[in-house]
Amino acid sequence: FVPCPKKKVQMCSVLKIRQVHHIISTPRICLIGRYNPVRYYSTTTTSSPPPTPHVCCNGNDLNAFPSKIKVIKSTTNDPLFNLATEDWLFREGDLSYKTLFLWRNQPTVVIGKHQNPFTECHMMKMEEDRVVLARRNTGGGAVYQDLGNTNFTFLTPNTGDFKKFNTNIILRALDSFGISAVASGRNDILVDGLKISGAAYKIQGERALHHGTLMMDVDLSALAKYLNPNKAKLQSKGIKSVISRVKNLKEIDPRVDHDSLSDAIIADFKKTYRADCEVEIFIFEQIIYEYYDLHENKDISESIK
């Protein structure tokens, strides 16, 4: 996470990310469903089409059955906690489980692994409006997120065309609302030629991470306010601004919100792998209390606020 000299922009400090990473890595409170997991059901009425099988390069079906799956939802909107959780899942998660992690953030600009925030963002505006700045561990461009955006993360073994396989789950979830979306290029999902989702990827040995955004009801004015895209790149695509090439899903179907979209993704994730599981709910405050009980460390409360 890049330091921001002479500014008080809320960023993910090294101290905080290490503390959160350590907390969720504690064996007693890691992914074992301690937090009253509940079962979610899709609220949609249109069934998804059967999953399209994708064959791995070694001849093994990526959609191997029976599969073990894990579904996790975060109830906190703290981007620092959510990114730390995602990073821990990627590095330490059980590879025998195909994992889906769903989350969303308070107003935040998340920049790519190699980006310079001073060229990608309008830092003064972010400071004035208390917009969080954070860096993810994947490449790609700067992204504005708020509560009108749903983040999805797939964590799977690095086998076959996992990108296409996971993207098809998202496409079928959107289709359950009657929204006809298509994958475009390496990273985007489009509806009527407009971007409603972007994604990024990370591979480390046998582990693969595929995460992305889904714009439900994002404050589009914030994109121009906080992001500073490369003008030459925009011109090369024949567009005048970032806003002119994106669209919110709620404009297409007012039923789409974080819960209904999450339900649809979960339903198709389970159907695709022909498996079921309880949804594990991550509650930040409850994890902190567990940490206190385990370590009886009262001083950490101030430093992670």
Side-chain angles (χ1 to χ4, degrees):
F1 292 82
V2 178
C4 182
K6 299 182 180 180
K7 297 182 184 298
K8 298 180 180 178
V9 179
Q10 298 181 50
M11 301 181 69
C12 188
S13 67
V14 173
L15 176 61
K16 181 169 183 177
I17 199 74
R18 284 177 178 170
Q19 288 170 338
V20 175
H21 200 286
H22 177 60
I23 290 170
I24 63 178
S25 300
T26 305
R28 185 182 172 196
I29 56 177
C30 63
L31 310 183
I32 53 177
R34 291 181 55 85
Y35 308 112
N36 302 319
V38 296
R39 193 179 303 279
Y40 280 75
Y41 296 92
S42 174
T43 57
T44 58
T45 56
T46 304
S47 60
S48 301
T52 303
H54 300 289
V55 179
C56 302
C57 55
N58 60 5
N60 295 325
D61 189 355
L62 182 63
N63 196 1
F65 307 111
S67 295
K68 294 194 296 183
I69 63 171
K70 188 183 293 286
V71 178
I72 304 164
K73 287 184 72 175
S74 174
T75 61
T76 180
N77 302 319
D78 183 345
L80 312 183
F81 174 81
N82 288 330
L83 286 167
T85 300
E86 180 188 64
D87 184 67
W88 182 84
L89 287 168
F90 175 65
R91 296 176 184 276
E92 306 293 338
D94 187 345
L95 266 182
S96 67
Y97 286 85
K98 280 83 171 180
T99 301
L100 171 65
F101 177 44
L102 296 167
W103 45 295
R104 60 177 175 167
N105 294 328
Q106 66 192 70
T108 306
V109 172
V110 182
I111 58 175
K113 183 176 182 179
H114 304 292
Q115 287 190 303
N116 181 345
F118 296 98
T119 60
E120 299 293 336
C121 314
H122 296 300
M123 302 287 285
M124 293 297 292
K125 282 290 185 184
M126 291 174 61
E127 179 179 4
E128 291 172 7
D129 298 341
R130 300 182 64 82
V131 174
V132 180
L133 174 64
R135 184 187 296 280
R136 62 181 183 271
N137 284 326
T138 56
V143 180
Y144 171 77
Q145 301 176 3
D146 59 25
L147 296 182
N149 177 84
T150 291
N151 291 305
F152 62 85
T153 305
F154 294 99
L155 300 130
T156 62
N158 177 24
T159 56
D161 192 353
F162 68 88
K163 300 175 187 177
K164 184 177 180 180
F165 192 83
N166 297 333
T167 299
N168 283 339
I169 293 175
I170 301 299
L171 293 178
R172 289 191 294 267
L174 293 172
D175 185 65
S176 70
F177 291 93
I179 298 174
S180 179
V182 296
S184 174
R186 291 185 63 249
N187 305 318
D188 297 345
I189 295 177
L190 309 181
V191 175
D192 298 329
L194 297 176
K195 182 175 179 177
I196 55 94
S197 175
Y201 316 92
K202 184 179 180 66
I203 296 173
Q204 184 173 306
E206 297 180 344
R207 297 176 180 272
L209 177 149
H210 171 190
H211 62 183
T213 60
L214 283 163
M215 298 176 62
M216 302 169 300
D217 194 19
V218 175
D219 179 5
L220 297 183
S221 66
L223 275 64
K225 190 175 183 181
Y226 304 125
L227 301 182
N228 183 34
N230 185 302
K231 292 181 175 57
K233 183 177 179 181
L234 292 179
Q235 291 172 359
S236 69
K237 295 179 179 291
I239 55 178
K240 295 182 179 179
S241 68
V242 174
I243 298 176
S244 67
R245 67 182 293 249
V246 300
K247 189 171 189 174
N248 276 320
L249 291 168
K250 217 169 186 65
E251 298 176 40
I252 307 169
D253 189 333
R255 295 177 300 163
V256 179
D257 59 22
H258 178 66
D259 289 331
S260 64
L261 187 55
S262 295
D263 286 348
I265 296 172
I266 291 170
D268 198 88
F269 181 74
K270 292 180 177 182
K271 185 175 181 179
T272 296
Y273 286 110
R274 302 179 193 173
D276 198 8
C277 69
E278 293 183 324
V279 177
E280 298 181 31
I281 305 299
F282 270 21
I283 303 173
F284 178 74
E285 293 79 9
Q286 201 161 357
I287 292 176
I288 297 300
Y289 295 149
E290 287 275 346
Y291 185 86
Y292 292 164
D293 292 342
L294 190 61
H295 295 278
E296 298 182 351
N297 184 347
K298 305 303 180 183
D299 296 329
I300 194 173
S301 59
E302 292 300 320
S303 58
I304 64 175
K305 285 181 180 178

